[in-house]
Amino acid sequence: MGEKQQFEVWKEDMEPVLVSKVEEFHMLGYDKATKDEIWRCVTERLHKKKAYVPFYTFTDELLNLKVSVYMTWLTVASYKEPEDWFADFEQADQKK
């Protein structure tokens, strides 16, 4: 049986890398990229692996995250999240 992943324990240590990755994405024109989204993207991808992921592999994965992978993850995540698309319109109608 594999060891439990410790991604949340590493988050503070990875702060400079996250800031660097956000700045990189912003320079490439993806101004809405955030540290939390990038963190979730990488951790969700690595949670799928069956084997234990060491710190250096996690760091490598984060440093090598491509914009295309991030945008694909965002797209899939937006389809998975249950959103009520018409809630904003209904609230606006109720205020009138």
Side-chain angles (χ1 to χ4, degrees):
M1 185 155 203
E3 297 177 46
K4 187 177 178 190
Q5 299 294 347
Q6 308 182 49
F7 299 141
E8 292 306 316
V9 174
W10 297 337
K11 190 170 185 177
E12 188 176 320
D13 296 332
M14 299 305 289
E15 184 72 19
V17 179
L18 285 168
V19 169
S20 173
K21 189 53 70 170
V22 168
E23 290 173 355
E24 174 188 337
F25 284 10
H26 287 187
M27 283 193 314
L28 293 171
Y30 295 90
D31 297 331
K32 293 188 179 185
T34 65
K35 291 187 297 184
D36 289 333
E37 286 177 345
I38 291 172
W39 180 262
R40 281 185 37 222
C41 174
V42 172
T43 56
E44 286 179 16
R45 291 181 67 225
L46 291 176
H47 271 297
K48 294 177 184 177
K49 293 189 176 189
K50 301 293 181 196
Y52 177 75
V53 178
F55 184 75
Y56 64 87
T57 302
F58 184 84
T59 305
D60 183 57
E61 190 75 25
L62 187 56
L63 286 170
N64 290 315
L65 180 66
K66 304 287 185 230
V67 172
S68 60
V69 172
Y70 171 71
M71 293 305 293
T72 301
W73 174 83
L74 272 180
T75 303
V76 171
S78 71
Y79 286 126
K80 287 181 179 179
E81 292 178 1
E83 290 189 26
D84 188 1
W85 292 92
F86 301 105
D88 293 336
F89 296 113
E90 291 172 0
Q91 289 174 359
D93 286 341
Q94 291 175 357
K95 289 181 181 179
K96 289 182 180 180

